[in-house]
Amino acid sequence: MLDRRSLLVCIFSLIGSLAISYGFSEPFQKRRAKQRQLKSLGAFAVAFDANGSVTSARFRDLVAPGFSDACGQLQVVDLKGAVGIRKSLQELTRLKSLRMVIVSVSDVRDEDIQLLPKIAGLRHLWMTNTHLTDQCVDDLARIDRLEIVKLDGTAISAEAIERLRLLKPKLKIEGATRAE
């Protein structure tokens, strides 16, 4: 038999558990609904911040039209291995909060890089193991806020990398060698 104090502790614990469950269930349900929506638009992995805004998304293939409307606060997009990357980049130019784009091991081409300066907040760009050449360097230099670019496994020459260093002296260029 429980004494009166133990009974009150049990009751208040139960009430507290119910309040906590109710308090967390609504945000959780909203996140699950948003996750299902984004999966229908091509994302197979998404991350949320504490406020329930989508902060990053990973794609196996293309970013579907309308994806940017569903993700106003998206900061990171991973398109590693995607094919038909130009259409995805066109959709991503609509995102104002985007800070990082990963297009490694994708079919990104020099002419696709012309779209990237339209992503106003872009700071980090990973383009490893792609078919990029020296022709993309001027477009990379036009990305205003770019801080870091990864270029391992591209056909960009050491001379073009040096030109990029001159055009954007504060840019950290990873995976590229200096001209001898």
Side-chain angles (χ1 to χ4, degrees), residues 22-32 52:
Y22 178 76
F24 285 122
S25 67
E26 187 177 345
F28 180 74
Q29 289 171 354
K30 286 181 181 178
R31 286 182 186 188
R32 292 294 289 171

Side-chain angles (χ1 to χ4, degrees), residues 148-178:
I148 299 172
V149 64
K150 290 189 177 197
L151 299 171
D152 307 72
T154 65
I156 301 174
S157 69
E159 292 79 19
I161 295 298
E162 284 304 311
R163 190 167 90 245
L164 182 58
R165 288 184 205 281
L166 289 172
L167 293 170
K168 291 192 78 70
K170 293 182 179 179
L171 178 63
K172 182 177 180 182
I173 304 170
E174 296 182 3
T177 57
R178 293 184 177 268

Side-chain angles (χ1 to χ4, degrees), residues 85-155:
I85 205 95
R86 185 169 188 81
K87 289 181 182 178
S88 294
L89 293 177
Q90 287 171 333
E91 181 68 22
L92 296 179
T93 61
R94 300 176 58 208
L95 292 168
K96 304 296 181 218
S97 61
L98 194 58
R99 301 290 178 260
M100 179 178 195
V101 174
I102 301 168
V103 292
S104 298
V105 196
S106 70
D107 68 345
V108 68
R109 303 276 182 209
D110 293 324
E111 56 272 10
D112 301 330
I113 303 305
Q114 296 170 359
L115 295 167
L116 295 176
K118 296 178 183 176
I119 303 174
L122 187 60
R123 288 176 171 70
H124 302 267
L125 185 57
W126 294 4
M127 303 185 302
T128 59
N129 300 311
T130 59
H131 302 287
L132 296 173
T133 69
D134 294 357
Q135 293 177 342
C136 73
V137 167
D138 291 326
D139 291 315
L140 288 173
R142 288 190 11 245
I143 304 172
D144 290 334
R145 296 183 178 175
L146 192 61
E147 296 171 0
I148 299 172
V149 64
K150 290 189 177 197
L151 299 171
D152 307 72
T154 65

Side-chain angles (χ1 to χ4, degrees), residues 3-116:
D3 65 0
R4 185 178 176 150
R5 183 172 180 223
S6 298
L7 182 61
L8 286 173
V9 168
C10 288
I11 290 171
F12 283 118
S13 294
L14 181 61
I15 291 170
S17 296
L18 290 173
I20 289 171
S21 295
Y22 178 76
F24 285 122
S25 67
E26 187 177 345
F28 180 74
Q29 289 171 354
K30 286 181 181 178
R31 286 182 186 188
R32 292 294 289 171
K34 178 64 92 173
Q35 193 174 29
R36 282 191 297 276
Q37 176 192 17
L38 298 178
K39 283 187 177 188
S40 74
L41 292 170
F44 77 87
V46 294
F48 297 90
D49 66 11
N51 298 321
S53 297
V54 177
T55 57
S56 67
R58 170 90 170 87
F59 294 83
R60 283 194 182 101
D61 209 0
L62 299 178
V63 174
F67 180 83
S68 57
D69 296 331
C71 295
Q73 300 302 312
L74 189 67
Q75 296 176 12
V76 178
V77 170
D78 185 346
L79 292 161
K80 184 176 181 178
V83 177
I85 205 95
R86 185 169 188 81
K87 289 181 182 178
S88 294
L89 293 177
Q90 287 171 333
E91 181 68 22
L92 296 179
T93 61
R94 300 176 58 208
L95 292 168
K96 304 296 181 218
S97 61
L98 194 58
R99 301 290 178 260
M100 179 178 195
V101 174
I102 301 168
V103 292
S104 298
V105 196
S106 70
D107 68 345
V108 68
R109 303 276 182 209
D110 293 324
E111 56 272 10
D112 301 330
I113 303 305
Q114 296 170 359
L115 295 167
L116 295 176

